[in-house]
Each structure stands twice: as C-alpha cells, then as structure tokens.
Amino acid sequence: PDQAYLYTRPTNAVYSSRNEEATSIRTEARKDKVLRANTVDERTSAYQTLVAQSPLHNESVKTWCFDNLSVIAVLDSLNASGPMQAMINTNNVGVLGHSLGGAVAGELLQYSDVKAGINIDGFQFGSLIESNLSKPFLFIAADRPWVGGSSISNDIFFYASSSDCYMASFKGFQHRTFTDLGAFENVYSGNFDWTKSSTFHKNLRELVLWFFNKHLKGQSDSDNPRSDFGDSVKLWDSNK
C-alpha cells in the first residue's frame, strides 16, 4: 500500500484539522523546546506554551476522556444485572494509552472512576498542566539521546505529583516502536532492530503489569521488574 496509508486519515474534518496542527512546523518547534529544556522551570514554561497553542489536541483529549467514561458507565450497567452481574470491578479502573492516548490517560485521573494510569510516550495535552497528579501514574518514554535535558518530556508532572509516580525510559525505542507497527516489516520497518523486539516488549509488558498489579490489586512491591531490565530501561520512582 501507499506509505501515506499508515498515517490513518479519516475523512472527518476534526481529525484532518488536528493532523494539520500536529504536523505544523510551529508545533514541532514547541515540542522540541519542551524536549530540550534543561531545567524544570524552563520545561514547564515550554509545556504551557505547547498546550495553550494546541487547542485541537486538547479538544481531542477531552472528547476521548468522555468516550472512556461512557465505556465505564456501560460496564457499570453490565455489572449491575444480567449475565455479567458482579463480574467487573468498576471501582478499581486503570487506563493506559500511547501517544495522544497517553495524554487521555493522564487527563482521566482527574475523574473518580479511574484509580491509576500510564502515559506511553505522549505529550501531556489537556488540562493536567494546570494541576498536579494525585493518583498513581507511570510515564513511559522512548530514550532520546540526541536532545539536551531529560529524555523524559513529562518529568515536570513527575516532580509535582502528590501520589506515587514513576518514569521509565526505554533505550533504543522510538515513538512508533511502542506499538506493533514495525512488526509488519514489509509495510513499515523504520530503523528499529526488530530482532530484539521480543525482549524489549517483554520488558514493557512486565513494567505495565507490575504497575497495575501494585496500584490496582495491591500486590507487593517485591516483584518490581527493574532488576531484570539491565541497561535497557531506566526507572525513576518518586518514593526513592
């Protein structure tokens, strides 16, 4: 297929407009300024500018939040009666997302329905820049050694969190390699070494499971996988 097919272009006007906002030179320059910031204050200021100048991204985050809350409401109704009665614990919901979906995960923590969340390599668009995290959260990011400052663009939320918060940086990853797109080598191989994919994604799965098991199921921290990652993953813990 045509390479352009990979960018998933629905015909709706909202997506088209947001895509123009996302790919504009100005937006990329603002993201780059966030990534290259050398201090928390500098990154916070750059982040505030990025979010303020990205109204369509913020609107998408808000819309997707309501979509998620609608799903939780449906699960509540299924849990109340019928063949799935009492089978779903909707009082203990966790959410994760990649890219803009990661921003949605962060935004959803402001609602009582969601207890913990994970943002996988997404800029935190939405309203979280105006407040602090008060529930367990994990930021996962691709290691970006070619830019100055922290490789974790969301460290400002980590430092300001009033709850358990973590950051993880995956060495050798790019934004798209957190997904399975590159596994379809004939379509979209990129520059990632997919011969190492099973090990890298095993680490990702183990980290996600450890986080949700700890903060949704109350399992012991003794099974923290950080000791098994070697130098492929760096993990920061707000409690350490």
Side-chain angles (χ1 to χ4, degrees):
D2 184 352
Q3 283 283 331
Y5 171 80
L6 297 165
Y7 291 94
T8 313
R9 298 176 299 174
T11 57
N12 69 81
V14 174
Y15 182 90
S16 299
S17 298
R18 197 192 80 210
N19 193 47
E20 290 177 10
E21 180 181 275
T23 57
S24 74
I25 295 176
R26 291 178 180 176
T27 299
E28 290 303 311
R30 294 180 188 117
K31 288 181 178 179
D32 189 62
K33 194 169 183 179
V34 170
L35 289 169
R36 293 181 183 275
N38 291 303
T39 67
V40 172
D41 287 344
E42 185 180 331
R43 196 185 309 281
T44 299
S45 177
Y47 226 122
Q48 289 170 335
T49 299
L50 171 65
V51 172
Q53 298 298 320
S54 306
L56 297 177
H57 280 72
N58 298 329
E59 183 63 27
S60 290
V61 168
K62 182 178 179 180
T63 300
W64 292 4
C65 275
F66 288 132
D67 288 344
N68 277 267
L69 294 172
S70 296
V71 170
I72 294 173
V74 171
L75 293 175
D76 268 327
S77 65
L78 292 173
N79 196 53
S81 62
M84 296 184 66
Q85 185 174 5
M87 295 178 64
I88 308 169
N89 184 359
T90 54
N91 294 315
N92 209 23
V93 175
V95 61
L96 81 160
H98 172 257
S99 198
L100 192 62
V104 174
E107 189 81 3
L108 277 166
L109 257 67
Q110 300 178 73
Y111 296 89
S112 60
D113 306 74
V114 180
K115 304 303 182 186
I118 301 175
N119 178 339
I120 301 179
D121 212 41
F123 282 93
Q124 191 59 54
F125 293 102
S127 64
L128 191 58
I129 190 69
E130 302 168 2
S131 59
N132 298 330
L133 286 165
S134 58
K135 298 177 185 176
F137 203 77
L138 167 61
F139 290 101
I140 298 176
D143 185 30
R144 296 177 174 87
W146 58 87
V147 299
S150 171
S151 64
I152 308 288
S153 63
N154 292 317
D155 59 354
I156 59 172
F157 304 102
F158 171 84
Y159 293 123
S161 174
S162 61
S163 184
D164 295 332
C165 197
Y166 312 86
M167 296 189 299
S169 175
F170 277 67
K171 183 179 180 180
F173 266 49
Q174 300 173 26
H175 184 67
R176 61 185 176 270
T177 50
F178 284 105
T179 73
D180 58 0
L181 279 175
F184 300 96
E185 186 173 359
N186 293 333
V187 178
Y188 192 52
S189 61
N191 298 315
F192 186 65
D193 183 0
W194 284 94
T195 61
K196 301 178 181 178
S197 173
S198 60
T199 299
F200 289 163
H201 286 85
K202 176 178 178 290
N203 290 342
L204 179 62
R205 290 194 300 273
E206 288 183 354
L207 182 61
V208 168
L209 285 172
W210 163 77
F211 174 81
F212 283 132
N213 283 338
K214 177 178 173 63
H215 293 289
L216 295 181
K217 295 184 177 181
Q219 292 186 8
S220 169
D221 192 46
S222 61
D223 61 349
N224 190 324
R226 75 183 70 196
S227 60
D228 301 326
F229 290 157
D231 63 353
S232 63
V233 182
K234 294 180 181 178
L235 183 62
W236 292 264
D237 184 337
S238 63
N239 297 307
K240 299 186 182 298

